[in-house]
Amino acid sequence: MKNKKGFLQGALCGALAMLLAAGLVSCGLKAKNSNSGEKDTTEAISSETDKKLEKLESLINQYYLKDVDQDELQQGIYEGYIAGLNDPYSVYYDEEATKSFQESTDGEYDGIGAVMSQNKETGIITISQVYEGSPAEQAGMKDNDILYKVEDEEVTGKDLTEVVSKIKGEKGTDVNLTVLRGDDREEVTVTATRDTIEYPTVSSKMLDNGIGYLRITEFDSVTYDQYMNAYNDLKSQGMKGMVVDLRSNPGGSLSIVCKILDEILPEGKIVYTQDKNGKEEDFTSDEEHQIDIPMTVLVNQYSASASEIFAGAIQDYDLGAIVGTQTYGKGVVQQIFDLKDGTCVKLTIAKYFTAKGQDIDGKGITPDVAIDYQADENNPEADNQLNKAIETLQGEMQ
């Protein structure tokens, strides 16, 4: 390892400097009392850490068999530092992962065109939706496949955002994926050729009896315009009632879901957040717009975060029944901090509460009409949950 003297110590100091510069001293370096003892406590912890890193560096130099990639070692320090928070939602992202964040906010990216969800207890990643005509579909991937490996590396239990960043890549390049399919967990390996994906977060169609169906797969920067276009199109077709499908929607932007809810709710509070100091911030709707037709909202165990804000607001204002299964239970808010070197860190900064003060973190939203999804082998298009949402809506329309 060339020029390795003091590398680990310098790398840690670099990590601390970046985090402190970003205003992230709340990570645990400071003492609880915000007085003169803070600096001494920080320096003491840093000194002990420096000594431990020097020992580790010495052992690596003396005994480690393989070559050492200094950049990888440095990234590992940053990643491990944030991982030490033991918060599944707080993550350090390298330049590649940070670039993926930026691409997603533009509404298009180079990838394979599949939506993935992760079970918070098992760490299993499931392909919850394969876009029609996408590289994923062309490669043979199917809804409900379990993602097992990316380029022969097992991904179960790894941070979902990091896994997705490895699947994304330059248009025209290939990525090898191994999935487990069906009840017998058949192992299937496919090769998908990445392409530019227009990120469709909203889809809609008219059903019978004047019922409009509107599905939102994620709340991104493009979602508000897509929602309004779909809603207005359904209204122009004579929509008299609406089913909003949020199943397997992992969440997204707090501001975007509130902007959509402002088009639905009467004047009042949508949701509020509370930070570590107890400071509250309200997100409200005005009286200019509100829905004038009955609605139902479909959810499942993968409906999380912004999806739960949506469902919780509809439930609190009694604007329609929530149909499906208990939601994921992610009632915390994250913020992305730019570290000014092409990388970023995502930190949990607050809890959120529904308009009526529901704390759903670790609990989820309880549906008004509980019904598990049951696949019909004789009719793959059958959807008993959607049928129940339609039935419930028809009762409200009478």
PDB file of all heavy atoms in Angstrom, residues 79 94 96-97 100 110-112 116 150-151 153-155 158-170 173-177 194:
ATOM      1  N   GLU A  79     -18.679   4.637   5.437  1.00  0.00           N
ATOM      2  CA  GLU A  79     -19.895   3.820   5.498  1.00  0.00           C
ATOM      3  C   GLU A  79     -20.084   3.222   6.889  1.00  0.00           C
ATOM      4  O   GLU A  79     -21.189   3.219   7.442  1.00  0.00           O
ATOM      5  CB  GLU A  79     -19.816   2.714   4.446  1.00  0.00           C
ATOM      6  CG  GLU A  79     -19.890   3.219   3.010  1.00  0.00           C
ATOM      7  CD  GLU A  79     -19.534   2.143   1.997  1.00  0.00           C
ATOM      8  OE1 GLU A  79     -19.323   0.981   2.420  1.00  0.00           O
ATOM      9  OE2 GLU A  79     -19.465   2.463   0.796  1.00  0.00           O
ATOM     10  N   ASP A  94     -21.559   6.783  -1.652  1.00  0.00           N
ATOM     11  CA  ASP A  94     -20.384   7.200  -2.409  1.00  0.00           C
ATOM     12  C   ASP A  94     -20.828   7.963  -3.660  1.00  0.00           C
ATOM     13  O   ASP A  94     -22.015   8.238  -3.844  1.00  0.00           O
ATOM     14  CB  ASP A  94     -19.502   6.002  -2.763  1.00  0.00           C
ATOM     15  CG  ASP A  94     -20.220   4.960  -3.621  1.00  0.00           C
ATOM     16  OD1 ASP A  94     -21.268   5.281  -4.236  1.00  0.00           O
ATOM     17  OD2 ASP A  94     -19.732   3.823  -3.687  1.00  0.00           O
ATOM     18  N   GLU A  96     -21.055   7.138  -6.810  1.00  0.00           N
ATOM     19  CA  GLU A  96     -21.956   6.427  -7.718  1.00  0.00           C
ATOM     20  C   GLU A  96     -23.384   6.418  -7.192  1.00  0.00           C
ATOM     21  O   GLU A  96     -24.345   6.675  -7.921  1.00  0.00           O
ATOM     22  CB  GLU A  96     -21.458   4.994  -7.917  1.00  0.00           C
ATOM     23  CG  GLU A  96     -22.272   4.202  -8.931  1.00  0.00           C
ATOM     24  CD  GLU A  96     -21.719   2.810  -9.160  1.00  0.00           C
ATOM     25  OE1 GLU A  96     -20.608   2.518  -8.642  1.00  0.00           O
ATOM     26  OE2 GLU A  96     -22.387   2.021  -9.841  1.00  0.00           O
ATOM     27  N   ALA A  97     -23.524   6.120  -5.895  1.00  0.00           N
ATOM     28  CA  ALA A  97     -24.858   6.090  -5.297  1.00  0.00           C
ATOM     29  C   ALA A  97     -25.473   7.486  -5.260  1.00  0.00           C
ATOM     30  O   ALA A  97     -26.678   7.654  -5.462  1.00  0.00           O
ATOM     31  CB  ALA A  97     -24.787   5.508  -3.885  1.00  0.00           C
ATOM     32  N   SER A 100     -26.993   8.375  -8.494  1.00  0.00           N
ATOM     33  CA  SER A 100     -28.289   7.717  -8.681  1.00  0.00           C
ATOM     34  C   SER A 100     -29.408   8.532  -8.053  1.00  0.00           C
ATOM     35  O   SER A 100     -30.513   8.607  -8.605  1.00  0.00           O
ATOM     36  CB  SER A 100     -28.253   6.309  -8.065  1.00  0.00           C
ATOM     37  OG  SER A 100     -27.342   5.491  -8.745  1.00  0.00           O
ATOM     38  N   ASP A 110     -30.784   5.620 -16.138  1.00  0.00           N
ATOM     39  CA  ASP A 110     -30.323   4.477 -16.916  1.00  0.00           C
ATOM     40  C   ASP A 110     -30.349   3.251 -16.009  1.00  0.00           C
ATOM     41  O   ASP A 110     -29.628   3.191 -15.001  1.00  0.00           O
ATOM     42  CB  ASP A 110     -28.907   4.710 -17.442  1.00  0.00           C
ATOM     43  CG  ASP A 110     -28.879   5.758 -18.555  1.00  0.00           C
ATOM     44  OD1 ASP A 110     -29.956   6.090 -19.075  1.00  0.00           O
ATOM     45  OD2 ASP A 110     -27.787   6.239 -18.887  1.00  0.00           O
ATOM     46  N   GLY A 111     -31.195   2.298 -16.353  1.00  0.00           N
ATOM     47  CA  GLY A 111     -31.344   1.114 -15.518  1.00  0.00           C
ATOM     48  C   GLY A 111     -32.134   0.044 -16.230  1.00  0.00           C
ATOM     49  O   GLY A 111     -32.113  -0.051 -17.456  1.00  0.00           O
ATOM     50  N   ILE A 112     -32.876  -0.768 -15.455  1.00  0.00           N
ATOM     51  CA  ILE A 112     -33.571  -1.916 -16.048  1.00  0.00           C
ATOM     52  C   ILE A 112     -35.091  -1.796 -16.001  1.00  0.00           C
ATOM     53  O   ILE A 112     -35.782  -2.575 -16.634  1.00  0.00           O
ATOM     54  CB  ILE A 112     -33.136  -3.232 -15.377  1.00  0.00           C
ATOM     55  CG1 ILE A 112     -33.580  -3.277 -13.911  1.00  0.00           C
ATOM     56  CG2 ILE A 112     -31.625  -3.417 -15.502  1.00  0.00           C
ATOM     57  CD1 ILE A 112     -33.403  -4.640 -13.262  1.00  0.00           C
ATOM     58  N   MET A 116     -38.440  -2.244  -6.666  1.00  0.00           N
ATOM     59  CA  MET A 116     -38.041  -3.234  -5.667  1.00  0.00           C
ATOM     60  C   MET A 116     -38.442  -2.786  -4.271  1.00  0.00           C
ATOM     61  O   MET A 116     -38.374  -1.613  -3.950  1.00  0.00           O
ATOM     62  CB  MET A 116     -36.525  -3.462  -5.732  1.00  0.00           C
ATOM     63  CG  MET A 116     -36.061  -3.900  -7.106  1.00  0.00           C
ATOM     64  SD  MET A 116     -34.272  -4.037  -7.244  1.00  0.00           S
ATOM     65  CE  MET A 116     -34.137  -4.234  -9.042  1.00  0.00           C
ATOM     66  N   VAL A 150     -26.741  -9.867  -7.447  1.00  0.00           N
ATOM     67  CA  VAL A 150     -26.397  -8.907  -8.488  1.00  0.00           C
ATOM     68  C   VAL A 150     -24.932  -9.138  -8.832  1.00  0.00           C
ATOM     69  O   VAL A 150     -24.070  -9.001  -7.961  1.00  0.00           O
ATOM     70  CB  VAL A 150     -26.621  -7.450  -8.025  1.00  0.00           C
ATOM     71  CG1 VAL A 150     -26.179  -6.478  -9.121  1.00  0.00           C
ATOM     72  CG2 VAL A 150     -28.081  -7.214  -7.668  1.00  0.00           C
ATOM     73  N   GLU A 151     -24.693  -9.523 -10.080  1.00  0.00           N
ATOM     74  CA  GLU A 151     -23.321  -9.868 -10.509  1.00  0.00           C
ATOM     75  C   GLU A 151     -22.695 -10.883  -9.559  1.00  0.00           C
ATOM     76  O   GLU A 151     -21.563 -10.729  -9.088  1.00  0.00           O
ATOM     77  CB  GLU A 151     -22.452  -8.604 -10.614  1.00  0.00           C
ATOM     78  CG  GLU A 151     -22.929  -7.596 -11.640  1.00  0.00           C
ATOM     79  CD  GLU A 151     -22.815  -8.100 -13.076  1.00  0.00           C
ATOM     80  OE1 GLU A 151     -22.265  -9.200 -13.276  1.00  0.00           O
ATOM     81  OE2 GLU A 151     -23.280  -7.393 -13.995  1.00  0.00           O
ATOM     82  N   GLU A 153     -23.173 -11.520  -6.552  1.00  0.00           N
ATOM     83  CA  GLU A 153     -23.016 -11.122  -5.158  1.00  0.00           C
ATOM     84  C   GLU A 153     -24.380 -11.110  -4.475  1.00  0.00           C
ATOM     85  O   GLU A 153     -25.309 -10.450  -4.942  1.00  0.00           O
ATOM     86  CB  GLU A 153     -22.382  -9.732  -5.065  1.00  0.00           C
ATOM     87  CG  GLU A 153     -22.170  -9.261  -3.644  1.00  0.00           C
ATOM     88  CD  GLU A 153     -21.572  -7.864  -3.568  1.00  0.00           C
ATOM     89  OE1 GLU A 153     -21.059  -7.376  -4.597  1.00  0.00           O
ATOM     90  OE2 GLU A 153     -21.629  -7.256  -2.479  1.00  0.00           O
ATOM     91  N   GLU A 154     -24.509 -11.854  -3.376  1.00  0.00           N
ATOM     92  CA  GLU A 154     -25.785 -11.923  -2.666  1.00  0.00           C
ATOM     93  C   GLU A 154     -26.150 -10.552  -2.092  1.00  0.00           C
ATOM     94  O   GLU A 154     -25.281  -9.822  -1.606  1.00  0.00           O
ATOM     95  CB  GLU A 154     -25.713 -12.961  -1.546  1.00  0.00           C
ATOM     96  CG  GLU A 154     -25.584 -14.396  -2.058  1.00  0.00           C
ATOM     97  CD  GLU A 154     -25.708 -15.413  -0.948  1.00  0.00           C
ATOM     98  OE1 GLU A 154     -26.331 -15.097   0.100  1.00  0.00           O
ATOM     99  OE2 GLU A 154     -25.178 -16.532  -1.112  1.00  0.00           O
ATOM    100  N   VAL A 155     -27.442 -10.208  -2.172  1.00  0.00           N
ATOM    101  CA  VAL A 155     -27.868  -8.861  -1.774  1.00  0.00           C
ATOM    102  C   VAL A 155     -28.867  -8.853  -0.636  1.00  0.00           C
ATOM    103  O   VAL A 155     -29.226  -7.781  -0.140  1.00  0.00           O
ATOM    104  CB  VAL A 155     -28.476  -8.116  -2.990  1.00  0.00           C
ATOM    105  CG1 VAL A 155     -27.418  -7.904  -4.065  1.00  0.00           C
ATOM    106  CG2 VAL A 155     -29.688  -8.851  -3.553  1.00  0.00           C
ATOM    107  N   LYS A 158     -28.799  -6.266   2.442  1.00  0.00           N
ATOM    108  CA  LYS A 158     -28.024  -5.070   2.136  1.00  0.00           C
ATOM    109  C   LYS A 158     -28.967  -3.888   1.911  1.00  0.00           C
ATOM    110  O   LYS A 158     -30.147  -4.066   1.591  1.00  0.00           O
ATOM    111  CB  LYS A 158     -27.148  -5.296   0.902  1.00  0.00           C
ATOM    112  CG  LYS A 158     -26.089  -6.365   1.129  1.00  0.00           C
ATOM    113  CD  LYS A 158     -25.027  -6.360   0.043  1.00  0.00           C
ATOM    114  CE  LYS A 158     -23.915  -7.347   0.377  1.00  0.00           C
ATOM    115  NZ  LYS A 158     -22.842  -7.330  -0.638  1.00  0.00           N
ATOM    116  N   ASP A 159     -28.438  -2.679   2.088  1.00  0.00           N
ATOM    117  CA  ASP A 159     -29.254  -1.474   1.922  1.00  0.00           C
ATOM    118  C   ASP A 159     -29.832  -1.437   0.518  1.00  0.00           C
ATOM    119  O   ASP A 159     -29.111  -1.572  -0.480  1.00  0.00           O
ATOM    120  CB  ASP A 159     -28.408  -0.229   2.162  1.00  0.00           C
ATOM    121  CG  ASP A 159     -29.208   1.044   1.964  1.00  0.00           C
ATOM    122  OD1 ASP A 159     -30.072   1.334   2.808  1.00  0.00           O
ATOM    123  OD2 ASP A 159     -28.961   1.722   0.952  1.00  0.00           O
ATOM    124  N   LEU A 160     -31.161  -1.255   0.437  1.00  0.00           N
ATOM    125  CA  LEU A 160     -31.851  -1.324  -0.844  1.00  0.00           C
ATOM    126  C   LEU A 160     -31.344  -0.278  -1.823  1.00  0.00           C
ATOM    127  O   LEU A 160     -31.176  -0.558  -3.017  1.00  0.00           O
ATOM    128  CB  LEU A 160     -33.362  -1.161  -0.631  1.00  0.00           C
ATOM    129  CG  LEU A 160     -34.235  -1.212  -1.894  1.00  0.00           C
ATOM    130  CD1 LEU A 160     -34.059  -2.533  -2.628  1.00  0.00           C
ATOM    131  CD2 LEU A 160     -35.701  -1.003  -1.523  1.00  0.00           C
ATOM    132  N   THR A 161     -31.073   0.924  -1.336  1.00  0.00           N
ATOM    133  CA  THR A 161     -30.609   1.985  -2.225  1.00  0.00           C
ATOM    134  C   THR A 161     -29.262   1.626  -2.834  1.00  0.00           C
ATOM    135  O   THR A 161     -29.016   1.882  -4.025  1.00  0.00           O
ATOM    136  CB  THR A 161     -30.507   3.317  -1.473  1.00  0.00           C
ATOM    137  OG1 THR A 161     -31.769   3.614  -0.873  1.00  0.00           O
ATOM    138  CG2 THR A 161     -30.125   4.443  -2.414  1.00  0.00           C
ATOM    139  N   GLU A 162     -28.379   1.016  -2.051  1.00  0.00           N
ATOM    140  CA  GLU A 162     -27.078   0.616  -2.570  1.00  0.00           C
ATOM    141  C   GLU A 162     -27.218  -0.491  -3.612  1.00  0.00           C
ATOM    142  O   GLU A 162     -26.508  -0.520  -4.616  1.00  0.00           O
ATOM    143  CB  GLU A 162     -26.171   0.162  -1.426  1.00  0.00           C
ATOM    144  CG  GLU A 162     -25.765   1.287  -0.489  1.00  0.00           C
ATOM    145  CD  GLU A 162     -24.785   0.832   0.575  1.00  0.00           C
ATOM    146  OE1 GLU A 162     -24.512  -0.390   0.647  1.00  0.00           O
ATOM    147  OE2 GLU A 162     -24.290   1.687   1.325  1.00  0.00           O
ATOM    148  N   VAL A 163     -28.142  -1.421  -3.370  1.00  0.00           N
ATOM    149  CA  VAL A 163     -28.378  -2.503  -4.327  1.00  0.00           C
ATOM    150  C   VAL A 163     -28.890  -1.931  -5.647  1.00  0.00           C
ATOM    151  O   VAL A 163     -28.426  -2.310  -6.731  1.00  0.00           O
ATOM    152  CB  VAL A 163     -29.379  -3.529  -3.758  1.00  0.00           C
ATOM    153  CG1 VAL A 163     -29.763  -4.560  -4.824  1.00  0.00           C
ATOM    154  CG2 VAL A 163     -28.794  -4.223  -2.538  1.00  0.00           C
ATOM    155  N   VAL A 164     -29.848  -1.002  -5.550  1.00  0.00           N
ATOM    156  CA  VAL A 164     -30.399  -0.383  -6.757  1.00  0.00           C
ATOM    157  C   VAL A 164     -29.313   0.358  -7.529  1.00  0.00           C
ATOM    158  O   VAL A 164     -29.271   0.320  -8.764  1.00  0.00           O
ATOM    159  CB  VAL A 164     -31.554   0.568  -6.392  1.00  0.00           C
ATOM    160  CG1 VAL A 164     -31.968   1.411  -7.601  1.00  0.00           C
ATOM    161  CG2 VAL A 164     -32.750  -0.226  -5.882  1.00  0.00           C
ATOM    162  N   SER A 165     -28.412   1.026  -6.804  1.00  0.00           N
ATOM    163  CA  SER A 165     -27.346   1.784  -7.480  1.00  0.00           C
ATOM    164  C   SER A 165     -26.416   0.860  -8.259  1.00  0.00           C
ATOM    165  O   SER A 165     -25.850   1.260  -9.282  1.00  0.00           O
ATOM    166  CB  SER A 165     -26.548   2.606  -6.462  1.00  0.00           C
ATOM    167  OG  SER A 165     -25.726   1.789  -5.665  1.00  0.00           O
ATOM    168  N   LYS A 166     -26.266  -0.383  -7.804  1.00  0.00           N
ATOM    169  CA  LYS A 166     -25.433  -1.343  -8.520  1.00  0.00           C
ATOM    170  C   LYS A 166     -26.140  -1.873  -9.765  1.00  0.00           C
ATOM    171  O   LYS A 166     -25.494  -2.265 -10.737  1.00  0.00           O
ATOM    172  CB  LYS A 166     -25.058  -2.501  -7.598  1.00  0.00           C
ATOM    173  CG  LYS A 166     -24.106  -2.103  -6.482  1.00  0.00           C
ATOM    174  CD  LYS A 166     -23.768  -3.277  -5.594  1.00  0.00           C
ATOM    175  CE  LYS A 166     -22.808  -2.861  -4.483  1.00  0.00           C
ATOM    176  NZ  LYS A 166     -22.475  -3.993  -3.574  1.00  0.00           N
ATOM    177  N   ILE A 167     -27.471  -1.889  -9.714  1.00  0.00           N
ATOM    178  CA  ILE A 167     -28.233  -2.372 -10.869  1.00  0.00           C
ATOM    179  C   ILE A 167     -28.300  -1.299 -11.949  1.00  0.00           C
ATOM    180  O   ILE A 167     -28.248  -1.601 -13.151  1.00  0.00           O
ATOM    181  CB  ILE A 167     -29.637  -2.809 -10.430  1.00  0.00           C
ATOM    182  CG1 ILE A 167     -29.542  -4.016  -9.492  1.00  0.00           C
ATOM    183  CG2 ILE A 167     -30.514  -3.139 -11.637  1.00  0.00           C
ATOM    184  CD1 ILE A 167     -30.862  -4.428  -8.892  1.00  0.00           C
ATOM    185  N   LYS A 168     -28.400  -0.057 -11.536  1.00  0.00           N
ATOM    186  CA  LYS A 168     -28.378   1.031 -12.507  1.00  0.00           C
ATOM    187  C   LYS A 168     -26.983   1.156 -13.112  1.00  0.00           C
ATOM    188  O   LYS A 168     -26.004   0.685 -12.545  1.00  0.00           O
ATOM    189  CB  LYS A 168     -28.759   2.355 -11.834  1.00  0.00           C
ATOM    190  CG  LYS A 168     -30.203   2.435 -11.397  1.00  0.00           C
ATOM    191  CD  LYS A 168     -30.486   3.764 -10.724  1.00  0.00           C
ATOM    192  CE  LYS A 168     -31.930   3.880 -10.300  1.00  0.00           C
ATOM    193  NZ  LYS A 168     -32.214   5.169  -9.628  1.00  0.00           N
ATOM    194  N   GLY A 169     -26.904   1.794 -14.265  1.00  0.00           N
ATOM    195  CA  GLY A 169     -25.607   1.965 -14.907  1.00  0.00           C
ATOM    196  C   GLY A 169     -25.761   2.565 -16.287  1.00  0.00           C
ATOM    197  O   GLY A 169     -26.862   2.920 -16.712  1.00  0.00           O
ATOM    198  N   GLU A 170     -24.673   2.670 -16.987  1.00  0.00           N
ATOM    199  CA  GLU A 170     -24.662   3.338 -18.289  1.00  0.00           C
ATOM    200  C   GLU A 170     -25.532   2.598 -19.307  1.00  0.00           C
ATOM    201  O   GLU A 170     -25.521   1.365 -19.377  1.00  0.00           O
ATOM    202  CB  GLU A 170     -23.226   3.430 -18.799  1.00  0.00           C
ATOM    203  CG  GLU A 170     -23.081   4.215 -20.093  1.00  0.00           C
ATOM    204  CD  GLU A 170     -21.634   4.324 -20.536  1.00  0.00           C
ATOM    205  OE1 GLU A 170     -20.741   3.918 -19.762  1.00  0.00           O
ATOM    206  OE2 GLU A 170     -21.399   4.797 -21.664  1.00  0.00           O
ATOM    207  N   THR A 173     -25.088  -1.055 -21.320  1.00  0.00           N
ATOM    208  CA  THR A 173     -24.279  -2.041 -20.605  1.00  0.00           C
ATOM    209  C   THR A 173     -25.185  -3.107 -19.987  1.00  0.00           C
ATOM    210  O   THR A 173     -26.384  -2.898 -19.791  1.00  0.00           O
ATOM    211  CB  THR A 173     -23.440  -1.381 -19.505  1.00  0.00           C
ATOM    212  OG1 THR A 173     -24.312  -0.718 -18.566  1.00  0.00           O
ATOM    213  CG2 THR A 173     -22.480  -0.363 -20.108  1.00  0.00           C
ATOM    214  N   ASP A 174     -24.602  -4.258 -19.692  1.00  0.00           N
ATOM    215  CA  ASP A 174     -25.365  -5.392 -19.159  1.00  0.00           C
ATOM    216  C   ASP A 174     -25.185  -5.522 -17.653  1.00  0.00           C
ATOM    217  O   ASP A 174     -24.140  -5.155 -17.101  1.00  0.00           O
ATOM    218  CB  ASP A 174     -24.914  -6.697 -19.820  1.00  0.00           C
ATOM    219  CG  ASP A 174     -25.276  -6.758 -21.292  1.00  0.00           C
ATOM    220  OD1 ASP A 174     -26.186  -6.018 -21.713  1.00  0.00           O
ATOM    221  OD2 ASP A 174     -24.639  -7.552 -22.014  1.00  0.00           O
ATOM    222  N   VAL A 175     -26.202  -6.073 -17.004  1.00  0.00           N
ATOM    223  CA  VAL A 175     -26.102  -6.420 -15.590  1.00  0.00           C
ATOM    224  C   VAL A 175     -26.715  -7.807 -15.417  1.00  0.00           C
ATOM    225  O   VAL A 175     -27.789  -8.102 -15.951  1.00  0.00           O
ATOM    226  CB  VAL A 175     -26.817  -5.384 -14.682  1.00  0.00           C
ATOM    227  CG1 VAL A 175     -28.286  -5.239 -15.035  1.00  0.00           C
ATOM    228  CG2 VAL A 175     -26.648  -5.747 -13.211  1.00  0.00           C
ATOM    229  N   ASN A 176     -26.006  -8.677 -14.706  1.00  0.00           N
ATOM    230  CA  ASN A 176     -26.463 -10.046 -14.470  1.00  0.00           C
ATOM    231  C   ASN A 176     -27.162 -10.133 -13.117  1.00  0.00           C
ATOM    232  O   ASN A 176     -26.609  -9.710 -12.095  1.00  0.00           O
ATOM    233  CB  ASN A 176     -25.272 -11.014 -14.498  1.00  0.00           C
ATOM    234  CG  ASN A 176     -24.590 -11.038 -15.847  1.00  0.00           C
ATOM    235  OD1 ASN A 176     -25.246 -11.206 -16.872  1.00  0.00           O
ATOM    236  ND2 ASN A 176     -23.279 -10.878 -15.864  1.00  0.00           N
ATOM    237  N   LEU A 177     -28.375 -10.662 -13.130  1.00  0.00           N
ATOM    238  CA  LEU A 177     -29.197 -10.744 -11.922  1.00  0.00           C
ATOM    239  C   LEU A 177     -29.674 -12.174 -11.728  1.00  0.00           C
ATOM    240  O   LEU A 177     -30.033 -12.857 -12.684  1.00  0.00           O
ATOM    241  CB  LEU A 177     -30.412  -9.820 -12.033  1.00  0.00           C
ATOM    242  CG  LEU A 177     -30.121  -8.358 -12.379  1.00  0.00           C
ATOM    243  CD1 LEU A 177     -31.411  -7.638 -12.736  1.00  0.00           C
ATOM    244  CD2 LEU A 177     -29.436  -7.674 -11.219  1.00  0.00           C
ATOM    245  N   ARG A 194     -29.117  -2.388 -19.809  1.00  0.00           N
ATOM    246  CA  ARG A 194     -29.623  -1.125 -19.284  1.00  0.00           C
ATOM    247  C   ARG A 194     -30.037  -0.177 -20.422  1.00  0.00           C
ATOM    248  O   ARG A 194     -29.420  -0.146 -21.482  1.00  0.00           O
ATOM    249  CB  ARG A 194     -28.572  -0.451 -18.410  1.00  0.00           C
ATOM    250  CG  ARG A 194     -28.123  -1.272 -17.196  1.00  0.00           C
ATOM    251  CD  ARG A 194     -27.040  -0.553 -16.456  1.00  0.00           C
ATOM    252  NE  ARG A 194     -26.594  -1.221 -15.237  1.00  0.00           N
ATOM    253  CZ  ARG A 194     -25.487  -1.953 -15.143  1.00  0.00           C
ATOM    254  NH1 ARG A 194     -24.706  -2.104 -16.210  1.00  0.00           N
ATOM    255  NH2 ARG A 194     -25.146  -2.508 -14.001  1.00  0.00           N
TER     256      ARG A 194
END
